[in-house]
Amino acid sequence: GRISSGTVDVSGGDPQKIKNAIGKYTGQVKACYEQRLKSNPSLSGRIELLWYITGGRVTSVEILGNSTDDSELASCIARKVRTWRFPADLEADTEVMYPFILSPG
């Protein structure tokens, strides 16, 4: 499966630093996606998440949109994002809205 991103929407932080950090974790998102592709080979769509970062740690994650209609996939990605680490010099309570766009390989 392929994963691309739409526009990262950040309030209270440097969008490029956040995008760079997300890039390091794309393999985790891909693992969630490829697991679900096994049971649905045509699975595709967009999953949009909102998360907050304080002191480099993700403090909460919310699923804003899921056009894949696969709640297990969205939950898996949200669980992964919850463990990610970001630069500690981001402002407190940085808000990130980020879409993962998924398409079969």
Side-chain angles (χ1 to χ4, degrees), residues 59-81:
T59 55
S60 70
V61 180
E62 192 179 321
I63 299 165
L64 293 182
N66 178 4
S67 70
T68 68
D69 291 327
D70 187 319
S71 59
E72 206 173 306
L73 173 60
S75 295
C76 179
I77 294 172
R79 278 193 308 275
K80 297 292 186 193
V81 169

Side-chain angles (χ1 to χ4, degrees), residues 13-28:
D14 179 335
Q16 196 53 54
K17 274 187 186 175
I18 289 172
K19 204 161 180 147
N20 290 346
I22 292 169
K24 288 189 256 180
Y25 296 111
T26 305
Q28 293 181 9

Side-chain angles (χ1 to χ4, degrees), residues 4-10 15 19 46 48 96-101:
S4 53
S5 66
T7 307
V8 62
D9 186 3
V10 176
K19 204 161 180 147
R46 177 183 171 114
E48 189 158 357
V96 179
M97 213 171 354
Y98 194 85
F100 296 97
I101 300 158

